[in-house]
Amino acid sequence: MPSPHPRRPLSRRGFLAASAGTAAALASTASPARAAAGRRPFGRYGSPAARRTPRTLYVDPLGRGDHTSVRDAVAAAAGGGWTLVLAPGAYRETVVLDATRTDATWIGASEDPRDVVIVYDNAAGTPKPGGGTYGTTGSATTTLQADGFTARWITFANDWLRADHPDVTGTQAVAVKVQGDRCAFHHCRFLGHQDTLYADSLALTAFARQYYAHCYVEGDVDFVFGRATAVYEHCHFRALDRADLAAAPFGFVFAPSTAGANPRGYLVTGSRVSSQAPAGFYKLARPWVPSSDPTARPSLTVRDTFLDAGIDAVAPYTNMSASFPWQSQRFAEYRDSGPGARITVPENRPQLTAREARSATRAGYLGDWEPWRGEC
């Protein structure tokens, strides 16, 4: 997403709760599950000697599995229907799950997302070895193009920091780009700064459905963005404080780019938006109408969600471009609570009617796909 402000150096802060940059740092905050993993790195999910299914592969950075990296395990899992069980550790690598590897499942073996971290540090402006820069899409630590993907108890992170690269202007740094249809994330974390979670599709005409349940997403600028039809249920969105800016806004939580032909964009329900920043320093959303799709009509509904004081209650929405004012897009709220949800200027807080709200549900957005059934 475009950068809204010139960047000054950003002071380094505690970026990953588990300090995922090194395996040693992970070990320094060992949980009971992680300690037990020293004896049983794959928890209740078997092992190479007791494989749960012929299409289950075990990944462990200490060499106790089939592979030591997620990338190598993905390369070995050709075709559809593979499960990767990831032992606790920091997997510092970039990973691409291409469109041929359908119906894949990745499981964090300890069942605590702090223990299994896939992390790298490319940004849009990072020089590529062969020349040029990565761009926003190329900056992604993990790219998921296949349909039917499921992840449980995994952290997807990009720990690129502005303070380390004051000469780089392309500060978008994606933790994960999700493009497939029927992609579900349960109890996962998404950590970054700008453009953390790219919930998108493979093409303008592809209406990819995605589901995020009991997840945590952290960032500052447009940190949940893209054109997918995505439901965020019981999630926590955390807007970071910033030392490089002195005035509001510090950033924007959502930046949907929904195709005009798509009746459903982002639905946030039963969730929480919090912030480390001063009161009113974050916008809830701004519409992204990309140059590749000037007919986009970004869609976002936030309902039954707590918005803390970090969200600007007077003017929670703003424009990314004056050519595409937010008032012309599809933004709405319903029964939100908290200081950031106070309606002080009604024209700035479009609300669903009770009748409209009856279709603003996970079933209304996802149709016959029910990823919440049978899940933990």
Side-chain angles (χ1 to χ4, degrees):
M1 300 297 301
S3 300
H5 306 288
R7 274 5 184 222
R8 297 189 296 276
L10 178 68
S11 60
R12 180 178 291 278
R13 52 180 164 257
F15 175 58
L16 303 178
S19 300
T22 66
L26 274 171
S28 71
T29 56
S31 67
R34 191 180 299 128
R39 299 183 299 274
R40 296 177 58 217
F42 305 108
R44 62 187 177 99
Y45 296 97
S47 68
R51 204 174 299 276
R52 297 192 87 191
T53 72
R55 284 187 171 247
T56 300
L57 293 177
Y58 295 88
V59 188
D60 175 34
L62 299 181
R64 295 166 294 181
D66 300 301
H67 302 278
T68 58
S69 74
V70 180
R71 182 191 298 174
D72 287 348
V74 168
W82 287 87
T83 295
L84 304 187
V85 180
L86 310 184
Y91 297 86
R92 179 159 287 275
E93 55 182 310
T94 58
V95 184
V96 177
L97 185 76
D98 68 50
T100 69
R101 289 168 162 78
T102 56
D103 300 309
T105 298
W106 295 1
I107 299 171
S110 72
E111 302 182 18
D112 183 339
R114 295 171 299 175
D115 294 343
V116 177
V117 183
I118 304 173
V119 58
Y120 208 71
D121 61 349
N122 282 331
T126 300
K128 294 170 67 174
T133 57
Y134 282 100
T136 300
T137 290
S139 74
T141 297
T142 303
T143 302
L144 303 168
Q145 299 175 330
D147 293 344
F149 175 82
T150 300
R152 301 188 189 99
W153 304 296
I154 294 173
T155 292
F156 299 89
N158 189 318
D159 62 355
W160 188 92
L161 291 172
R162 300 181 185 107
D164 295 342
H165 308 276
D167 56 325
V168 174
T169 56
T171 57
Q172 300 88 345
V174 177
V176 63
K177 181 170 185 176
V178 188
Q179 297 176 282
D181 184 38
R182 297 178 292 103
C183 291
F185 300 81
H186 303 270
H187 303 279
C188 289
R189 297 194 307 164
F190 306 90
L191 307 182
H193 284 274
Q194 184 173 352
D195 292 8
T196 303
L197 171 54
Y198 196 169
D200 206 51
S201 68
L202 280 171
L204 293 177
T205 56
F207 299 163
R209 296 166 295 173
Q210 298 168 17
Y211 180 68
Y212 301 81
H214 305 282
C215 290
Y216 175 88
V217 191
E218 185 175 280
D220 49 37
V221 177
D222 304 329
F223 61 94
V224 182
F225 74 112
R227 63 172 174 253
T229 295
V231 173
Y232 306 90
E233 186 170 40
H234 307 309
C235 291
H236 181 187
F237 304 91
R238 182 71 163 166
L240 297 169
D241 200 358
R242 297 186 63 175
D244 60 324
L245 295 178
F250 276 4
F252 320 87
V253 181
F254 301 99
S257 59
T258 322
N262 188 353
R264 307 291 187 194
Y266 287 177
L267 172 66
V268 179
T269 179
S271 293
R272 176 188 176 199
V273 179
S274 69
S275 178
Q276 300 170 336
F281 269 51
Y282 268 88
K283 302 293 186 181
L284 183 61
R286 61 178 182 169
W288 177 30
V289 179
S291 58
S292 59
D293 183 19
T295 66
R297 284 198 65 217
S299 172
L300 168 70
T301 294
V302 180
R303 63 170 300 169
D304 301 297
T305 289
F306 181 88
L307 309 178
D308 88 354
I311 299 300
D312 182 353
V314 175
Y317 306 105
T318 191
N319 299 335
M320 187 175 294
S321 166
S323 301
F324 304 101
W326 73 264
Q327 294 90 342
S328 300
Q329 313 309 323
R330 296 175 284 177
F331 287 177
E333 301 172 54
Y334 185 69
R335 295 192 314 198
D336 293 327
S337 61
R342 287 189 302 113
I343 301 175
T344 58
V345 182
E347 58 266 33
N348 287 346
R349 311 291 306 241
Q351 302 290 309
L352 295 180
T353 66
R355 182 176 181 178
E356 291 169 334
R358 285 196 288 271
S359 62
T361 63
R362 61 189 185 183
Y365 273 61
L366 302 180
D368 60 358
W369 179 49
E370 299 179 327
W372 53 87
R373 293 195 179 277
E375 294 298 334
C376 52

